[in-house]
Amino acid sequence: EKYITDLFHQYPNAAILISIVTGILVALIGFLPSFFLTAANILFFGFWKGTLLSFLGEAIGAGLAFLLYRKGLRKAAQQKLVKYPRLNALVEARGKRASLLIFSMRLMPFIPSGLISLAAAIGKASFVNFLIFSSLGKIPALLIEAYSVWEISRFSQQGKWILFIISLILVIFLFKKKPSGNPEIPPNTQGKK
C-alpha cells in the first residue's frame, strides 16, 4: 500500500492510470488480495473516487482474465478446478444460472477472484454476462472493503472495532487449523514387533 501511494505522489498526473493498471494486474494474477490497492486508492484519492478506481481496475481485470483463460488456458484450468468442486457447478451452468452463480460467488470473499473467472471462462457463460454479473457482485464486497480501510485509516471507534474483529477471525482461524503430524498408531498394533 505504501509503495503504491508513493508512486501516486511521485507521478500525480499518472496516478489514475497507475491505479487502474495495478488493479488489472491484481485481477489477472488472481490470488493477490486487492486490499492494499483499495487502501492506497482511498488514502490518495478519497473514499468515493478511490473506491471507483478500485472497482474499475478489478472489473476490467476480471474481464481480461476471462478472455485470456477462455483463449488459452482451458486444459490447465480444468485440472486446477478439480480441487474446488463448488466451482464445477459454474463450469456446467449456462444462461441465468451461470449469471446467478457468478454474482453470488463474487459476493463470497473466501473464493479467490481468479478461480471464479477461470471457472466461468472454461464453462458456458458468455463474456457479456460474466462481465455484468461479476462487476455487480464485486460492488458490495468492495464497498465493505473500502469502508473498512477508510475507518481504519481514520482510526475511529469503528476502525478499532474492525481491527478487533479481523484479529479475532485470524485467531479463530489459526486455532481451528488441524495440526499436521504423524497419524496415531492404532491401539491393536502398539507393542507388536
Side-chain angles (χ1 to χ4, degrees):
E1 172 252 312
K2 180 160 178 12
Y3 175 75
I4 300 292
T5 310
D6 288 346
L7 267 179
F8 292 162
H9 284 292
Q10 281 180 325
Y11 306 100
N13 294 334
I16 290 174
L17 183 63
I18 292 168
S19 169
I20 292 173
V21 168
T22 306
I24 290 169
L25 290 174
V26 167
L28 285 173
I29 292 168
F31 60 85
L32 284 177
S34 60
F35 193 82
F36 75 93
L37 181 59
T38 303
N41 284 341
I42 287 171
L43 292 173
F44 187 80
F45 296 105
F47 182 82
W48 290 110
K49 190 174 179 182
T51 303
L52 177 64
L53 288 170
S54 291
F55 173 77
L56 288 173
E58 286 188 35
I60 295 167
L64 289 174
F66 178 94
L67 292 173
L68 284 172
Y69 294 150
R70 182 152 278 182
K71 292 290 178 199
L73 301 174
R74 268 198 172 169
K75 286 183 182 175
Q78 285 171 327
Q79 292 170 351
K80 216 175 195 184
L81 289 176
V82 171
K83 299 175 192 172
Y84 302 93
R86 289 186 182 148
L87 289 171
N88 284 319
L90 178 54
V91 173
E92 298 302 320
R94 59 179 70 215
K96 282 184 183 177
R97 179 160 166 68
S99 300
L100 287 172
L101 282 170
I102 292 165
F103 176 76
S104 61
M105 286 180 177
R106 283 288 188 225
L107 292 173
M108 296 183 234
F110 51 86
I111 299 178
S113 180
L115 289 178
I116 298 167
S117 301
L118 194 61
I122 65 171
K124 299 169 178 78
S126 74
F127 174 70
V128 172
N129 278 3
F130 172 79
L131 195 59
I132 291 168
F133 287 93
S134 172
S135 300
L136 288 173
K138 282 179 177 292
I139 292 171
L142 188 59
L143 284 173
I144 291 167
E145 185 178 288
Y147 180 73
S148 301
V149 167
W150 180 253
E151 290 300 327
I152 289 168
S153 69
R154 292 177 29 212
F155 211 66
S156 64
Q157 189 63 35
Q158 287 173 319
K160 292 173 188 173
W161 275 108
I162 290 167
L163 280 177
F164 171 74
I165 291 168
I166 291 170
S167 302
L168 189 63
I169 290 168
L170 286 173
V171 168
I172 290 168
F173 176 75
L174 289 173
F175 279 104
K176 281 184 90 172
K177 227 176 172 190
K178 293 179 183 177
S180 61
N182 295 333
E184 289 184 23
I185 301 170
N188 61 352
T189 61
Q190 287 179 355
K192 290 186 180 178
K193 291 185 182 178

